[in-house]
Amino acid sequence: MGGIRVRVHPGRARTAGVMVAVAAALSMTVTGCSSDGSADTGGDGGARAKPQPPGAAPTPSPSRSYPLSTAPATIPSVRQHDAARGPGWKPGPAAGIVVAKGSEALADEARLLAGELKIAYRGAVAAGPADVELVLAPSQAGGAESYTVRTGGGKVRISGPDQSGVFYGTRTLKQAVRSGGVMPEGLVQDRPDRPQRGLMVDIARKSFSAGWIEDRLREMADLKLNQLGLHFSDDQGFRIESDTHPEIVSQEHLTKDQVRKILALASSLHIQVVPEIDSPGHLGAVLEAYPQLQLRDVGGRTVRGAIDIGNPESARIVDELLREYADLFGGRFWHLGGDEYQALVRENPEASFPQLAALARERYGPEGRVQDLATDWVNDRAAVVRPLGLQPKAWNDGFFRGGSVSVDKDVEVAYWTGKEIGARPPEEYLAEGRKLLNLNDEYMYYVLGEPNDFTYPTGRRIYEQWTPFVLRGTEPVPEKYSKQIVGGQFAIWCDLAQAQTQDQVASGIRMPLRATAQKLWVPGAPTASWADFQNLANRLG
């Protein structure tokens, strides 16, 4: 790889002819290198020796010697890099991006990378001597999001079993060039530790522009994050245009065309958008248009945000919204909410809401409780989205201990808190065989205005202390549950919506989001210090 160095051994005769040959070889070594130190004749990084006549003394190789390469500097870091000797690869006038024959589906990924590196996109042609080749390799091991980057001979070959994996390989190349000017020689073999890695944004309490959301998608893609949660309905607002119920939509909202554009961008970046209409609580914006459906207690007082789950009309309206937006969003997941139903924070829900208590006993027998009605509400909503091809999720405080009814086993648990009334430790859900997504509010919550003892995270505690196993507080669950912990999300909640502008939010989440990406992609403690990680983030931009 690095060629053969010319040596002169002590004690040997130095004839004029030998000295001339050595001088000529040294001259070849110098003239065979380009001005940037890289060999200009490709192949193994240096000029090739010419054939010698029989009996002639061997001519030393003119190739220069390179130190062993180091892993590319990226966020998240790559999991495996096999070092090699060579100049690596950098974009230049002769470089281009090509897709291998049979890999034409990667054209969009290739065009994007070509634009980012400011080099040509050549299409589905054979790779030239300075090109980057993208290859779909369905039989390649490692899973859909895995990839390899092989750099040598002046070329780069990025391959993976699926488009998503090849895309992540292009992110590694892009970051390596940005952080160090070159993709290091050698072989990267990489894959994520967790399948769900994301950001959740509360666009209900605070209206974010479509452009801001699109910018976050681009930022997420470079960090190899693959889920964007959009919480678009709450007490303070309903933020997406509706055809079935236009009367509930807030003045500041996204049009459906804007959402379609967001979804198209997300798809091109291999990001799934996970919509959420939270119910049966957090429905204040809907209930402003339908006050007759608002839950009332025994004294006739309304309960903010809580819909009357005993009224069949409540289910009809929510289900119409679920079907409308499932059709808009498509995708793989739907978040049902299910948290903080205010009827269940009362000391005695059955006494506070006798009409619900009577209905529960009618449905479930003498032991029936209000929590059983709330559980059935979640199951009924899951039954609406499931036939539409959507995997349902719900917040952990919508899964109750005991009772006559339990939430369906296929509903994923979005675990955020152990502080709510009746909150259960994560081990209880895991012992039931449920899958959990980690949104531990101790680390992963960015709450505008910092109410209720929240502080804006810097990302350092995520980077140094948090792992996907730390679901509640600061203590991890046993590693035997690893396969059930599907990943994590960093969450922006806009409790005091005017506390920060959307630009301040973007700046504030910058390092926490990078720390989240690192810890969801690479298991174990990071090797770089927090200071070094920050410096790398600044180099990458």
Side-chain angles (χ1 to χ4, degrees):
M1 300 278 287
I4 302 171
R5 294 183 180 179
V6 177
R7 289 184 179 176
V8 178
H9 295 276
R12 291 188 181 176
R14 293 173 171 81
T15 66
V18 171
M19 294 300 291
V20 170
V22 170
L26 289 173
S27 174
M28 288 175 64
T29 301
V30 173
T31 60
C33 293
S34 65
S35 59
D36 66 357
S38 61
D40 65 2
T41 51
D44 60 355
R48 300 190 180 198
K50 294 181 180 179
Q52 297 296 308
T59 300
S61 166
S63 299
R64 64 171 291 178
S65 179
Y66 293 92
L68 277 174
S69 61
T70 57
T74 61
I75 296 175
S77 57
V78 301
R79 295 180 65 174
Q80 182 178 334
H81 175 253
D82 297 335
R85 298 185 189 277
W89 179 92
K90 64 174 65 175
I97 310 292
V98 304
V99 295
K101 184 178 180 180
S103 300
E104 289 82 2
L106 296 171
D108 288 344
E109 288 79 3
R111 288 189 185 94
L112 175 63
L113 183 63
E116 292 168 331
L117 297 179
K118 296 179 171 56
I119 59 178
Y121 168 60
R122 306 194 200 284
V125 298
D131 285 346
V132 175
E133 183 182 35
L134 307 188
V135 183
L136 278 175
S139 61
Q140 184 171 306
E145 294 188 306
S146 68
Y147 68 91
T148 64
V149 180
R150 186 178 298 276
T151 306
K155 301 180 187 180
V156 178
R157 184 180 190 269
I158 302 174
S159 63
D162 185 81
Q163 288 175 249
S164 58
V166 176
F167 176 72
Y168 294 141
T170 69
R171 302 304 87 194
T172 293
L173 176 61
K174 174 187 174 181
Q175 287 198 17
V177 170
R178 183 170 289 181
S179 65
V182 64
M183 181 68 200
E185 202 87 0
L187 176 66
V188 169
Q189 297 181 83
D190 205 12
R191 61 184 174 83
D193 182 50
R194 301 289 150 175
Q196 296 185 38
R197 309 173 305 280
L199 170 68
M200 197 231 73
V201 186
D202 171 12
I203 66 171
R205 292 179 177 88
K206 182 179 182 69
S207 177
F208 289 88
S209 70
W212 187 93
I213 296 170
E214 290 168 1
D215 286 344
R216 301 290 75 70
L217 286 169
R218 295 184 184 96
E219 180 180 16
M220 291 169 62
D222 279 358
L223 299 171
K224 302 183 176 80
L225 297 172
N226 65 0
Q227 280 189 2
L228 173 66
L230 289 181
H231 176 92
F232 68 91
S233 168
D234 212 301
D235 297 339
Q236 296 81 358
F238 194 100
R239 301 292 180 181
I240 297 178
E241 175 188 359
S242 174
D243 297 321
T244 62
H245 292 282
E247 66 279 1
I248 69 174
V249 179
S250 301
Q251 184 174 0
E252 290 185 292
H253 65 272
L254 299 172
T255 67
K256 286 191 172 182
D257 282 344
Q258 287 175 315
V259 172
R260 291 185 186 101
K261 185 180 175 185
I262 288 168
L263 293 171
L265 176 62
S267 177
S268 73
L269 299 173
H270 300 276
I271 294 171
Q272 304 165 43
V273 179
V274 183
E276 179 189 359
I277 297 177
D278 202 345
S279 75
H282 294 281
L283 280 171
V286 174
L287 292 170
E288 282 186 16
Y290 294 94
Q292 71 276 18
L293 299 180
Q294 189 138 17
L295 182 65
R296 295 177 181 272
D297 67 13
V298 66
R301 295 176 291 271
T302 59
V303 181
R304 188 183 185 208
I307 202 165
D308 183 356
I309 57 178
N311 188 332
E313 185 67 7
S314 299
R316 184 188 67 80
I317 289 176
V318 171
D319 289 350
E320 286 175 353
L321 293 171
L322 292 176
R323 293 187 180 96
E324 177 181 1
Y325 291 103
D327 181 64
L328 173 64
F329 280 92
R332 181 180 166 193
F333 296 98
W334 186 279
H335 203 311
L336 299 167
D339 63 312
E340 297 181 321
Y341 186 52
Q342 292 301 299
L344 296 172
V345 305
R346 300 290 179 94
E347 184 176 353
N348 187 335
E350 284 68 40
S352 296
F353 303 96
Q355 74 280 22
L356 293 182
L359 180 60
R361 290 191 297 272
E362 177 185 331
R363 288 188 183 176
Y364 313 111
E367 301 301 316
R369 293 184 283 170
V370 175
Q371 76 169 49
D372 296 318
L373 293 175
T375 298
D376 248 353
W377 174 277
V378 171
N379 286 341
D380 288 345
R381 309 292 75 76
V384 171
V385 302
R386 200 180 285 118
L388 303 175
L390 297 168
Q391 164 67 54
K393 300 173 179 279
W395 297 109
N396 68 284
D397 48 328
F399 294 70
F400 304 104
R401 181 188 290 116
S404 302
V405 185
S406 60
V407 175
D408 295 339
K409 285 293 181 66
D410 71 324
V411 178
E412 285 186 7
V413 181
Y415 197 99
W416 72 279
T417 186
K419 301 169 186 173
E420 295 289 295
I421 294 174
R424 301 161 59 194
E427 290 89 341
E428 286 193 23
Y429 304 87
L430 293 165
E432 293 174 359
R434 297 184 183 275
K435 293 181 178 179
L436 269 66
L437 182 69
N438 190 325
L439 292 98
N440 184 344
D441 65 347
E442 178 75 20
Y443 298 91
M444 310 298 281
Y445 266 32
Y446 191 94
V447 185
L448 296 200
E450 302 181 304
N452 303 319
D453 298 323
F454 283 106
T455 58
Y456 294 130
T458 65
R460 182 168 187 168
R461 291 183 68 221
I462 299 172
Y463 187 76
E464 295 180 341
Q465 301 173 17
W466 178 84
T467 76
F469 295 94
V470 182
L471 286 152
R472 175 179 181 172
T474 60
E475 295 300 316
V477 298
E479 290 193 10
K480 68 180 181 179
Y481 294 120
S482 181
K483 291 184 178 179
Q484 294 170 241
I485 302 171
V486 295
Q489 287 182 350
F490 187 76
I492 302 167
W493 291 104
C494 302
D495 290 34
L496 300 174
Q498 302 309 311
Q500 288 190 336
T501 66
Q502 62 180 18
D503 288 342
Q504 288 173 322
V505 174
S507 176
I509 69 168
R510 181 174 173 275
M511 287 309 301
L513 198 62
R514 282 149 180 77
T516 300
Q518 173 68 29
K519 300 302 285 289
L520 289 169
W521 189 273
V522 183
T527 57
S529 69
W530 173 245
D532 288 343
F533 186 76
Q534 287 180 298
N535 289 336
L536 174 58
N538 291 336
R539 295 209 309 274
L540 292 171

